[in-house]
């Protein structure tokens, strides 16, 4: 990691310091890992509402009469099924079926789309978009500097955010526009915690005041630590851990987001993996410990396989994670043994999601 003088800061950096955040280097940024504590912030999102600064995420705008056709060519899902005001999850694949990134794309108008990239992949993704745009009547724009992004998540997130904005929020996986303090706000019914909520894309200058308003309304600031434990309980992937250019989306369990019939870049390799199995002969599975211990990414699965993400689940009170294991060991209920710093810990393959809200 570069020295702290080389790291970027979001428009909310001073707010994080004021809230007592512990700031750490992450993907080239100085980001809050926690405020009062990962467990407290995690449980606040599960029980009420938390807000995450995700302004380090990137945005790419695609505009033009062939915008849909172009995105259909490079994104793995069926872009033509996104209605205006809709959103869709997909992956960006290399020609040989590796995963460059996983993305959300919003259709803002007939010929206008906004794609959100992972922070560490933004420059790479933008170059990929620009490379494949040749020959299409489309304009690809780097929209990164236009937005700050706040994710408000939890069972109370919609109610509180609606009160703050004075706006009836769009439903899950839908988008809408609001005006707050004379500024445009793009409201998207998405998030990466397993809870209901919204993501708010606003001009950077407006973000601090909106952050203040959300906190004043009772939303708990939450850092990257809680974001990670929440997404693992929901079995959501983290690029660089569970996804990479060396792994295909079928082995990663993302076949549902791949529609090979659209002919996207890498579709032939993905179709081959779907038909014959991942070239690695492994599948990504969720697991839970059946005794004490906390798994971490990089731990070996005894007998074959590797933990890609691991943590202690504040909601379940046990160690959980995701791991690539041989296909023969991927069935739910299969016992696993995880080597945690030289100590073998018993675990079992579990169902997705690892955490479900009680009825």
């Amino acid at each position: 990691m570069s020295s702290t003088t080389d790291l970027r800061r979001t428009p909310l950096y001073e707010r994080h310091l004021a809230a007592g955040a512990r700031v750490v280097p992450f993907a080239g940024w100085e980001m809050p890992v926690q405020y009062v504590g990962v467990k407290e912030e995690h449980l606040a999102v599960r029980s009420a509402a938390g807000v995450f600064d995700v302004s380090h995420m990137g945005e790419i705008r695609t505009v033009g009469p062939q915008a849909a056709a172009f995105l259909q060519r490079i994104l793995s899902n069926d872009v033509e099924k996104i209605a205006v005001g809709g959103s869709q999850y997909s992956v960006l694949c290399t020609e040989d079926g590796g995963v460059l990134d996983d993305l959300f794309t919003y259709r803002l108008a007939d010929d206008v789309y906004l794609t959100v990239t992972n922070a560490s992949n933004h420059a790479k993704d933008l170059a990929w978009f620009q490379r494949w745009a040749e020959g299409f009547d489309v304009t690809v724009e780097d929209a990164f500097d236009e937005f700050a992004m706040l994710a408000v998540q939890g069972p109370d997130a919609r109610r509180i955010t609606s009160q703050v904005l004075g706006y009836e929020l769009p439903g899950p996986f839908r988008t809408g526009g609001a005006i707050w303090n004379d500024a445009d706000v793009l409201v998207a019914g998405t998030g990466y915690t397993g809870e209901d909520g919204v993501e708010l894309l606003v001009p950077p200058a407006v973000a601090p005041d909106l952050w203040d308003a959300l906190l004043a309304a009772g939303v708990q600031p939450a850092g990257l630590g809680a974001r990670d434990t929440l997404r693992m309980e929901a079995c959501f992937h983290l690029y660089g851990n569970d996804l990479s250019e060396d792994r295909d989306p079928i082995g990663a369990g993302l076949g549902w987001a791949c529609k090979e019939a659209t002919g996207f870049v890498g579709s032939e390799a993905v179709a081959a993996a779907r038909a014959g199995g991942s070239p690695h002969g492994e599948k990504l599975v969720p697991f839970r410990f059946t005794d004490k211990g906390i798994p971490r990414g990089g731990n070996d699965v005894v007998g074959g396989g590797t933990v890609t993400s691991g943590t202690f689940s504040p909601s379940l009170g046990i160690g959980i994670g995701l791991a690539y294991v041989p296909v023969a060991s991927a069935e739910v209920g299969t016992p696993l043994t995880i080597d945690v710093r030289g100590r073998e810990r018993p675990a079992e393959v579990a169902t997705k999601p690892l955490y479900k809200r009680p009825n």
Side-chain angles (χ1 to χ4, degrees):
M1 177 60 68
S2 302
S3 67
T4 55
T5 57
D6 297 326
L7 299 176
R8 302 182 69 178
R9 294 174 176 175
T10 78
L12 294 167
Y13 178 78
E14 297 298 332
R15 293 301 196 271
H16 300 321
L17 297 184
R22 181 162 70 88
V23 175
V24 299
F26 179 80
W29 295 78
E30 290 187 84
M31 296 295 293
V33 67
Q34 66 178 51
Y35 299 86
V36 295
V38 172
K39 180 179 180 179
E40 292 87 344
E41 294 158 28
H42 177 113
L43 295 177
V45 173
R46 288 280 182 248
S47 63
V51 58
F52 302 85
D53 178 11
V54 288
S55 302
H56 59 311
M57 305 287 279
E59 294 84 23
I60 299 172
R61 184 185 293 107
T62 305
V63 183
Q66 290 190 303
F70 161 65
L71 291 173
Q72 192 82 302
R73 176 67 175 128
I74 64 169
L75 299 181
S76 68
N77 216 326
D78 191 348
V79 174
E80 292 184 357
K81 289 188 176 180
I82 311 177
V84 174
S87 65
Q88 187 183 75
Y89 178 86
S90 64
V91 295
L92 199 64
C93 286
T94 62
E95 292 97 325
D96 62 1
V99 178
L100 283 165
D101 206 356
D102 62 329
L103 313 161
F104 264 106
T105 295
Y106 309 125
R107 188 177 184 183
L108 305 183
D110 283 342
D111 297 330
V112 182
Y113 295 79
L114 190 72
T115 299
V116 178
T117 70
N118 280 297
S120 60
N121 292 340
H122 180 66
K124 177 180 68 174
D125 291 356
L126 179 63
W128 191 259
F129 270 56
Q130 291 169 336
R131 169 189 167 185
W132 289 97
E134 186 174 348
F136 288 91
D137 187 2
V138 68
T139 300
V140 172
E141 303 170 347
D142 184 358
F144 177 85
D145 290 332
E146 298 178 28
F147 299 104
M149 190 171 179
L150 284 67
V152 193
Q153 302 282 290
D156 294 339
R158 285 182 169 274
R159 175 184 60 80
I160 296 174
T161 305
S162 181
Q163 290 175 352
V164 169
L165 295 180
Y167 168 71
E168 185 176 348
L169 305 182
F173 296 97
R174 300 289 299 171
T175 65
I179 302 293
W180 187 81
N181 279 12
D182 298 323
D184 291 328
V185 180
L186 174 61
V187 184
T190 51
Y192 224 59
T193 62
E195 295 292 337
D196 194 9
V198 293
E199 293 176 306
L200 308 175
L201 288 88
V202 300
V206 175
D209 287 341
L210 181 54
W211 175 272
D212 291 345
L214 290 165
L215 266 58
V219 180
Q220 166 72 48
L224 294 176
R227 184 173 169 84
D228 200 43
T229 55
L230 288 158
R231 67 94 188 169
M232 267 189 265
E233 289 184 349
C235 298
F236 292 152
H237 300 69
L238 177 64
Y239 193 89
N241 288 42
D242 317 302
L243 299 172
S244 70
E245 293 184 41
D246 297 326
R247 293 285 184 177
D248 65 275
I250 302 301
L254 293 176
W256 61 270
C258 297
K259 306 297 187 290
E260 293 94 301
T262 65
F264 63 87
V265 175
S267 59
E268 291 184 0
V270 172
R274 192 188 296 274
S278 171
H280 293 275
E282 294 182 330
K283 290 181 65 176
L284 186 69
V285 299
F287 67 86
R288 65 178 69 209
F289 275 10
T290 55
D291 203 342
K292 297 178 180 179
I294 301 174
R296 298 298 183 193
N299 290 161
D300 290 331
V301 180
V302 177
T306 305
V307 174
T308 54
S309 292
T311 192
F312 179 82
S313 164
S315 301
L316 302 173
I318 55 173
I320 62 169
L322 299 171
Y324 280 100
V325 299
V327 173
S329 300
E331 291 295 322
V332 174
T334 301
L336 301 175
T337 302
I338 312 295
D339 185 339
V340 180
R341 293 184 296 182
R343 299 191 66 176
E344 294 188 352
R345 301 290 188 178
E348 66 178 8
V349 178
T351 57
K352 297 180 182 180
L354 288 162
Y355 167 81
K356 293 182 180 180
R357 175 172 294 285
N359 294 328

